[in-house]
Structure formats: structure tokens, C-alpha cells
Amino acid sequence: MSASEERQASSSVAAEKALSFISKGWSSVRNSADADIRLMRARASSFKNLANSFDREIENFFNSAPAAFAVPAIRGSPSPTEIDFVKRLQPKISEFRRVYSSPDFSRKVLEKWSPRSRIGIDLSAIRNAIVVEGDEEERVRVGRKVRLKEFGWDWRGEEGIQKEWEPIRVLKTRLKEFERKSSSSEIFGNFKNNELVEKVKSYLKSIRMEPQETKEVPPLDVPELIAYWVKQSGPLLDQLGIKRDICDKLVEGFCSKRRDQLLLRSSQTGEASISENDNVNDELDLRIASVLRSTGHCFDGGMWTDSVKNNSSDGKRHVAIVTTASLPWMTGTAVNPLFRAAYLAKSEKQNVTLLVPWLCKSDQELVYPNNLTFSTPEEQENYIRKWLEERLDFKADFKISFYPGKFSNARRSIIPAGDTSQFISSKEADIAILEEPEHLNWYHHGKRWTDKFNHVVGIVHTNYLEYIKREKNGAIQAFLVKHINNWVTRAYCNKVLRLSAATQDLPKSVVCNVHGVNPKFLKIGERVAQQRESGQQSFSKGAYFLGKMVWAKGYRELIDLLDKHKKDLDGFKLDVYGNGEDANEVQSAAKKLKLNLNFLKGRDHADDSLHGYKVFINPSVSDVLCTATAEALAMGKFVICADHPSNEFFRSFPNCLTYKSSEDFVARVKEALASDPQPLTPEQRYNLSWEAATQRFMEFSDLDKILTSSQENENSSGAGKKITKSVSLPSLTEMVDGSLAFAHYCLTGNEILRLSTGAIPGTRDYNKQHCEDLHLLPPQVENPIYGW
């Protein structure tokens, strides 16, 4: 087809569209005018009928008038004036009847109301004006010769003068504009080929609702049901000793058949359904979700969980830190939670409460050093805050509360008395951090933590299994304690953080060091580095060891190493700082073996008398993460420690020297004594700080995600509203966890079972002395039934 023929075809299509548009417009105007004329005629007929009715009423009036005037007894005698009025009115009404009854009356009315103009449109002239054959120049030339007056418009007024009706004038103007544009460009062709139009068409095509074929979702087969049961029964199987990787292999085995079928079908149809590298658990979850969606099932909660959790009224999230020890007891579970509370409160993004145990005076004398005791919780709180202020360069704004506790001589630890969760008000029960969650919940008899709090994080400080194995019948006790720890952490925590891999592998746990060092130690390290830069001698002493003097804290390993290599380390002297219940035995053993150990009284690691030591030796393998090791590194000292999971975090520091054998230990000691430690870099110093530890804690505990999503929900849904999360299937894991919590509650309520497992008598509830010290109401004789 030639270019001229294409232009002619395009011009013909454009003309037909324009003609169709004008014809439709004129038909609409004509129909509207016809309807108006019909309405006027109907109103005229109605007026005529009304006039005839009025005429008949007047005639009846005159016919009945003589009779009315002839009855004076009823109406009364008419006056002469009234009679004259009637006589004068009768001829005028007769004339009125003659006029409006005339046949010409209706015709004159319609002539008054009918349109006084005549409109005529010759549509063929429009077609001839637009559709012109020939090339572009001829079409423009001929189009310009055509005038709109040829269209046959005619508008005449009453005087016969030809006028232009306003609607017709506007239509003429628009036709002139259309004539001008049609002579210069292909309007419809350009519009059709416009890029924007193509994009709009493609978008509409993508979102249009096409009828989809109803695809029936096949029901779950037996292997899939078994796989899902195994997957959800992980907590129960873990309690029975079946490891998690075995459960994953079972799930993968049961799902492999269904997976192969889906892969085969997708390869045949060319659909990208499932990748071979996808996680089997995710595929199973999607499969379950698709089946549930096809059935329309939706589940919003369960009998094991509360549907409503408490929210803070001031808009801030609230974090409650619960620990098992308190100052002045210088232990890790007293110091580290205190610093964690201070640095979490430093950001001012959340309110923080530190909940610590309160001991009666008799227990304080057994636990706190230097015979230090407190008469009221307020006195102890002032002591704690003063100690903290001396070590921080900022004001820590957080709340300190107390819960009743009792000291166990056998376990050398504090056991909570009563329901610890009740000492956090429901208004502030939002996020809970349980320092040593297994310890806090061994004998916990109260409300489930995860029911009262929105999110519960457990932090494991102590390797209890290592300590228990050293006791009589330690293997059996360790086996029982291991499963009890799994039990209580699964039942009462949403997330568990293990400071190192030295602890047992607990449910819902990850390994991360979320502890930092006292800022005072970092300042000491900076001062030591400045002294070395100025040429001064920083270290004037050799090696030392500091720790609580109990066999499990590394004293057994230390004596064995020194005794075995007494000749290799001839002349090596070690100062030992510490107090403890095994102090006499340790000193006697060292004296008996004639070891060159100098035993000194325990003191704070930041004491000035310890700054001059160059080497810190810590052979302990029972620690989870030794705080003293981190403090020694922060002060710029050498650290010699065992190649053990508890020291994994410290291996990245160049001043940490690890050993795998006793021979390595001797080599590391000689190396450290013969050289100087390297100064810490800014990055290494930051990794040891509490700022970095708090950042790691927020990340690995999922608190950053929880606080961020909380802020987004508050901004999107408004203050005071909370978006609830719905699930599509009652989680078997949650049901198992809930049943474990309920069983634990029932067992810990029996005093005989508590005592048989090592609980302190009377710790199910707090005693009278606790009530007096903490101003508590007496405990209930019968605790309420555990809430579902």
C-alpha cells in the first residue's frame, strides 16, 4: 500500500469518527427538544380542561342562584346591592366563556410557547468537508475552500433577520478548530501511537480482573502430615533427647516425594514453582498455608496464650531486667545487668526497670562482703546507684525494684521466693530480660512470663552443668538439670542468648557476647597506652590471677598446671587474689605441693594495686564468659587462657594468648613475660565497651526489630492503637510450650517435690520478714489456678 493510500484510509477513519460524534450529539439535542415540546402541550391541555371545569361551576352557580335567593327562612333576604352585583357579573362571565372555549385558543397558546426558530443541519456537507480524497496538499486546499455556512444552519428571529443561535455558534467554532487541526496532523493516528497510551494499555491489561481458573489445592497426604507433626513436635522431641538436626532430616525425608512431584510438574509446564535450593521447612509452611487458605480457615489465638498484652500508656516501651544477684555482691549477675540497665536507659527510647533480689539480714551477712548489710531496700538502692555513678560518665535514669529472695548455702546462689513476675506491674509488663532464665525459673511458681510480657529474652550467664559434674553423682544430676533447663527456658522465653558456646544448647538460643566492660577499665587502658607512647614504663609486675576462691573457678586447673611444670617454670611467681568458701583448701593444696603462689585478699579488679601487672592468667574452663578476662584486655594486659569456647570472643585480640596443652601454657607464659602487649586499637576498644555490647544485644535479641515495628505501627495507626498479629494455624510449638509451662506450674506447687529437687524450704511464697521489709501483703494461702 502506498503512502498516499494510507493517508487516505486514515483520513476516512477520522472523518467517520467525527461524523458519528456529531450525529450522536445532534440526536441528543433533538430528543431533548421534542421532550420539552411534548411537556408544553400537555400543560396546555391541562389548562384547557381546568377552564372547562371552571365554566361548568359558574353555570351551576347561576342556575342555583334564584333558588338560593327565594328561601329567606334559611339564607336571609338578599340586599338590592347583592342582586345588582350578580346581574352585572353574568354577562362578563359569558364573554369569558366564549373566548377561552374558542378552538383557536389552544393554537394561539402553543404558538406563543413553541420555538420561534428553525434549525437545519446538512450532515452530508460535514462529510464532504472532512473526507477529501487526494494527497496532503490537495486535501488542505480543498478543506480550506469548504465553508461552514454550506452546512445549512439557519436561525431567524421574529423580524425575519438571520441570527446565529449561541449553541450553533459554539458548535461552528469547534468545527472550525477541528478543520484546522485535521489539515495539519493525523490526530487519531498520533494519539493511537502515543507512548503514554501504550503504557496505560499495558498497565490496564496487567491489572484487569480476568476470570481465573479455579485450581483445586490437593489435600495433605500422609507423609506431609507426619512431616508437619515432626516439625511442630520439636520441643517434645528435644525433651526426649532427639536432636534438632535429626528432626530436620526426618522432615526433609517425608517431604522429598512431594517435592519431586512439584519439580517434575514445574519442569513440564515451564512454571517456576519451587527451586531445588529452597528450604524444606519453608516449603512445608507454604504448603500448609495454601491448604488452609483453600478451606478458608483462620486462627487468631489459642488457649495457651493471652490475646491481650499490656502496653505502656506514655507511648514508650518498657524493659524489665530481672537478675539473680545484686551489689554489693561482686558477681557477674549483679554487675552486668546493672550496666545493661544503665546503657539501655541511656538512649531514652524506652523505660527501664532493674529488678534485683532482696535478702533478709541473716542472708545478707552470708553473702555480702565486709559484713555489709542494709536495713531497708532504699539503703541498698542508694548504695547501688552511688557505685554505678562512680563508674559512668553519664546519669543513668532507670528504676530499681526488689523481689524477695533466699540464699542457698548448698548452691551458693540466691533463689527467688514466690512469684517474681508479680513485682512488675501489669502496666509496665512489656519486655522482660531474664538474667539466668534457668536459675530464675527452676522453682518459679507463678504466672508464665510469656503470658504477662510481650517479649521475653533470656541471657545465660553460668555453665551450671560444668559445676554440677564436679559434685557427687554429678553425671546423673547434670543429666536431670540439662533437661530441666531446656524445659523452663522453652516454656518461659521467646529468645535465649548464650554468652558463649560453653553453655548447653538451649531451645530458641543463639550465641552472642552481650556483655561489655566497666568504662573505668577502658580509661586505665588508655592511660597505659599514653605512658608507653611517652616512654614511661607501664608494667612493673609479672603475672597474677583474680577470681572467687572456689575450685570450680579455675583453681584446680591452675594448681595442676603449675605442679606439672614446676621445673619448666622455675622462678615463676604468681600472685592470687580472691576470697571464697574453698580458700583454705586451695591454699593448703598449694602449700602441700610447694607451689610458688602468693595468696592475697580479694579486691576490685580496678584497684590501683593491680594496674602494674603485665600478665593475667585464667585457666578456668567452667566460665561462660570471664568478665575478669575482658577487663584485663581492656587495661592493655596480656591474657593467658585455655583454648575453650568460653574464650572464643577474646581470640580476635592480639594480647590474648590461648593454649591447648600444658606445654603450650608454659610457652605462652614465657612469651608474655618476655614481651610487651600491643596497645588496643579504637575498634578493639569499642568492641569491649558496653555501647557495642548493647548494640549486639538489641540486634540478637530482636529488640531493635520489635521497637522499630512498634514505632511504625504507632505512626501508621495512631496513638493508643496496636496492630494485632493473626496466625493461620494454631502452632503446635506454642501448645507444647504452654503445656510445659502448665506442667511446671503444677509440679512446683508441690512442696514435697520442691524439697526433693533441692529447693529452699518456704520459697514457694515469701515469708513474713520479706513482707515487713518490702511492705508486702501476706501471701495467699491458696494460689489462684494457673490462667489459660
Side-chain angles (χ1 to χ4, degrees):
M1 183 180 291
S2 63
S4 176
E5 291 176 351
E6 290 181 356
R7 288 195 296 271
Q8 291 177 5
S10 176
S11 175
S12 176
V13 172
E16 289 178 359
K17 291 183 179 179
L19 181 62
S20 175
F21 172 76
I22 297 173
S23 299
K24 291 180 180 178
W26 175 245
S27 299
S28 177
V29 174
R30 184 178 60 186
N31 294 336
S32 177
D34 292 342
D36 292 339
I37 292 174
R38 288 195 298 270
L39 179 60
M40 289 187 289
R41 287 178 177 176
R43 290 179 177 176
S45 300
S46 176
F47 181 77
K48 182 177 179 180
N49 295 334
L50 181 63
N52 291 333
S53 176
F54 178 73
D55 182 41
R56 287 192 296 272
E57 293 294 334
I58 293 297
E59 186 176 359
N60 294 336
F61 171 75
F62 283 110
N63 291 336
S64 60
F69 295 142
V71 189
I74 301 176
R75 303 279 184 177
S77 301
S79 64
T81 305
E82 292 175 346
I83 296 174
D84 292 340
F85 171 73
V86 173
K87 289 181 179 181
R88 289 195 302 272
L89 183 62
Q90 185 171 4
K92 292 183 179 181
I93 293 176
S94 300
E95 179 64 20
F96 182 71
R97 284 178 55 198
R98 183 181 62 79
V99 173
Y100 74 72
S101 298
S102 175
D104 297 335
F105 180 78
S106 299
R107 180 179 58 78
K108 293 180 180 180
V109 171
L110 293 175
E111 286 179 356
K112 287 286 185 179
W113 289 355
S114 62
R116 300 177 183 177
S117 60
R118 177 176 61 83
I119 301 175
I121 299 180
D122 186 2
L123 297 178
S124 63
I126 298 177
R127 179 187 292 273
N128 295 333
I130 298 176
V131 183
V132 180
E133 296 182 359
D135 56 7
E136 184 68 21
E137 295 180 358
E138 182 65 19
R139 180 166 60 84
V140 173
R141 182 181 63 80
V142 175
R144 288 177 180 173
K145 289 182 179 179
V146 179
R147 298 288 180 253
L148 291 173
K149 65 183 181 180
E150 298 176 7
F151 292 175
W153 301 93
D154 190 11
W155 169 257
R156 296 181 182 277
E158 293 180 350
E159 298 82 2
I161 302 175
Q162 184 172 357
K163 298 181 179 179
E164 189 174 55
W165 191 26
E166 182 64 21
I168 303 302
R169 185 184 64 79
V170 174
L171 183 60
K172 282 184 176 182
T173 304
R174 293 184 178 180
L175 286 174
K176 288 180 180 179
E177 184 178 357
F178 176 77
E179 178 184 7
R180 177 179 57 80
K181 290 183 178 181
S182 64
S183 63
S184 60
S185 63
E186 298 292 334
I187 301 176
F188 298 102
N190 292 339
F191 181 78
K192 182 177 180 180
N193 297 327
N194 190 279
E195 182 179 359
L196 176 63
V197 176
E198 295 297 329
K199 291 182 178 180
V200 172
K201 287 170 62 179
S202 61
Y203 174 74
L204 294 176
K205 184 177 180 181
S206 64
I207 65 173
R208 65 180 179 177
M209 301 299 294
E210 296 181 351
Q212 298 180 355
E213 297 180 0
T214 58
K215 299 181 178 179
E216 294 185 359
V217 179
L220 296 174
D221 52 23
V222 175
E224 288 177 323
L225 290 173
I226 297 176
Y228 190 72
W229 181 87
V230 172
K231 180 177 179 293
Q232 295 291 348
S233 300
L236 179 60
L237 297 177
D238 186 57
Q239 296 293 330
L240 298 177
I242 301 177
K243 296 183 178 180
R244 193 178 307 170
D245 55 349
I246 298 178
C247 295
D248 293 340
K249 291 181 180 179
L250 290 175
V251 172
E252 184 177 0
F254 285 118
C255 293
S256 60
K257 181 178 179 181
R258 177 72 182 176
R259 180 187 179 93
D260 295 340
Q261 293 177 356
L262 293 176
L263 289 173
L264 179 61
R265 185 180 65 181
S266 62
S267 62
Q268 293 176 351
T269 59
E271 299 176 355
S273 59
I274 297 179
S275 172
E276 293 184 1
N277 295 326
D278 288 344
N279 188 281
V280 175
N281 290 326
D282 294 340
E283 295 176 13
L284 183 59
D285 290 338
L286 292 175
R287 173 81 173 115
I288 298 294
S290 63
V291 174
L292 291 174
R293 184 178 181 181
S294 65
T295 61
H297 174 76
C298 184
F299 178 75
D300 295 328
M303 64 180 181
W304 300 108
T305 57
D306 291 345
S307 58
V308 179
K309 299 292 180 71
N310 300 290
N311 297 320
S312 179
S313 59
D314 59 0
K316 283 187 177 182
R317 303 301 295 266
H318 195 102
V319 179
I321 303 176
V322 187
T323 186
T324 58
S326 176
L327 295 179
W329 190 10
M330 297 299 296
T331 183
T333 52
V335 175
N336 291 308
L338 181 60
F339 280 109
R340 194 185 326 280
Y343 280 87
L344 283 176
K346 183 180 179 181
S347 65
E348 298 182 354
K349 295 181 180 179
Q350 55 273 330
N351 298 321
V352 179
T353 297
L354 177 63
L355 188 62
V356 299
W358 167 259
L359 299 177
C360 299
K361 271 199 173 182
S362 57
D363 286 338
Q364 293 182 26
E365 295 172 354
L366 297 175
V367 178
Y368 299 153
N370 303 324
N371 297 322
L372 186 62
T373 59
F374 306 96
S375 300
T376 63
E378 290 76 15
E379 289 183 15
Q380 187 170 0
E381 179 180 353
N382 293 334
Y383 176 90
I384 294 172
R385 292 191 182 277
K386 183 179 179 181
W387 184 91
L388 184 64
E389 289 175 359
E390 293 174 354
R391 289 158 176 80
L392 296 179
D393 55 359
F394 63 91
K395 184 178 180 180
D397 184 13
F398 62 93
K399 178 181 176 182
I400 298 179
S401 298
F402 293 85
Y403 69 86
K406 290 187 177 182
F407 180 71
S408 172
N409 281 312
R411 297 182 181 273
R412 302 300 303 173
S413 59
I414 299 174
I415 303 298
D419 181 9
T420 310
S421 66
Q422 68 176 324
F423 294 93
I424 298 295
S425 65
S426 298
K427 183 180 179 181
E428 298 176 344
D430 184 12
I431 298 171
I433 301 173
L434 305 184
E435 309 278 352
E436 293 197 315
E438 69 278 49
H439 184 161
L440 285 170
N441 292 298
W442 278 334
Y443 305 106
H444 175 70
H445 184 70
K447 191 172 182 62
R448 186 183 177 192
W449 293 95
T450 52
D451 285 349
K452 184 169 184 177
F453 292 83
N454 293 308
H455 189 67
V456 181
V457 181
I459 302 177
V460 180
H461 290 246
T462 308
N463 188 1
Y464 287 105
L465 300 183
E466 185 65 29
Y467 290 115
I468 294 174
K469 289 178 182 178
R470 300 170 183 263
E471 298 178 0
K472 185 179 180 180
N473 300 323
I476 298 176
Q477 293 186 56
F479 174 81
L480 296 176
V481 171
K482 175 183 177 182
H483 290 283
I484 292 175
N485 290 345
N486 286 336
W487 184 351
V488 294
T489 53
R490 179 177 292 280
Y492 295 116
C493 295
N494 299 116
K495 189 88 174 184
V496 178
L497 302 181
R498 298 155 54 203
L499 298 180
S500 72
T503 60
Q504 68 178 96
D505 186 9
L506 294 169
K508 309 175 185 177
S509 67
V510 294
V511 176
C512 179
N513 175 23
V514 293
H515 285 178
V517 298
N518 188 331
K520 190 173 183 179
F521 294 103
L522 293 172
K523 293 180 180 179
I524 295 173
E526 293 177 359
R527 185 168 64 249
V528 169
Q530 293 174 359
Q531 292 175 354
R532 292 187 59 184
E533 290 178 359
S534 61
Q536 300 179 15
Q537 185 178 0
S538 301
F539 303 111
S540 58
K541 301 179 182 180
Y544 74 106
F545 175 57
L546 180 144
K548 186 177 179 180
M549 200 166 293
V550 293
W551 285 114
K553 283 292 185 179
Y555 285 90
R556 174 63 65 188
E557 290 82 358
L558 178 63
I559 290 178
D560 291 343
L561 287 171
L562 295 179
D563 180 51
K564 184 177 181 179
H565 297 280
K566 189 183 302 183
K567 295 181 179 180
D568 297 331
L569 295 174
D570 187 25
F572 174 68
K573 181 180 178 181
L574 182 66
D575 294 337
V576 179
Y577 294 86
N579 301 321
E581 52 269 24
D582 296 335
N584 293 331
E585 295 182 10
V586 172
Q587 295 178 18
S588 298
K591 185 177 181 180
K592 183 179 180 180
L593 296 173
K594 298 181 181 181
L595 300 179
N596 195 6
L597 295 178
N598 182 26
F599 291 95
L600 300 170
K601 188 177 179 180
R603 62 195 65 183
D604 191 343
H605 204 175
D607 191 85
D608 293 341
S609 61
L610 302 178
H611 294 177
Y613 288 98
K614 183 171 66 171
V615 182
F616 174 74
I617 296 178
N618 181 19
S620 174
V621 292
S622 62
D623 291 326
V624 173
L625 186 81
C626 184
T627 304
T629 300
E631 294 169 349
L633 288 173
M635 290 188 288
K637 304 177 185 297
F638 274 125
V639 171
I640 300 176
C641 57
D643 186 4
H644 189 262
S646 60
N647 299 317
E648 181 68 28
F649 176 78
F650 305 124
R651 290 179 183 173
S652 61
F653 295 87
N655 293 334
C656 179
L657 307 177
T658 60
Y659 62 89
K660 295 182 179 180
S661 62
S662 60
E663 290 75 13
D664 288 342
F665 172 77
V666 174
R668 294 302 187 187
V669 170
K670 293 181 178 181
E671 176 185 353
L673 293 176
S675 60
D676 292 329
Q678 300 180 19
L680 294 178
T681 64
E683 182 181 0
Q684 293 169 351
R685 190 177 296 110
Y686 175 76
N687 290 335
L688 289 171
S689 68
W690 266 106
E691 286 85 358
T694 303
Q695 183 179 359
R696 293 192 297 266
F697 171 77
M698 296 294 291
E699 178 183 355
F700 283 86
S701 65
D702 297 334
L703 283 189
D704 54 348
K705 298 178 182 178
I706 293 173
L707 297 178
T708 303
S709 62
S710 170
Q711 185 66 28
E712 292 176 354
N713 293 338
E714 181 179 354
N715 295 336
S716 61
S717 60
K721 296 182 180 179
K722 183 181 179 181
I723 299 176
T724 58
K725 181 181 178 181
S726 62
V727 294
S728 60
L729 183 69
S731 174
L732 184 58
T733 300
E734 293 180 1
M735 295 180 66
V736 171
D737 293 349
S739 63
L740 291 173
F742 179 71
H744 183 263
Y745 177 86
C746 295
L747 294 176
T748 54
N750 189 297
E751 189 67 18
I752 297 177
L753 289 176
R754 294 173 65 92
L755 296 177
S756 63
T757 54
I760 303 175
T763 54
R764 192 183 72 170
D765 297 305
Y766 42 83
N767 57 27
K768 183 179 179 181
Q769 186 62 44
H770 286 134
C771 295
E772 294 177 359
D773 295 343
L774 298 175
H775 308 290
L776 303 175
L777 295 175
Q780 297 178 351
V781 178
E782 293 182 3
N783 287 323
I785 298 177
Y786 183 78
W788 296 78

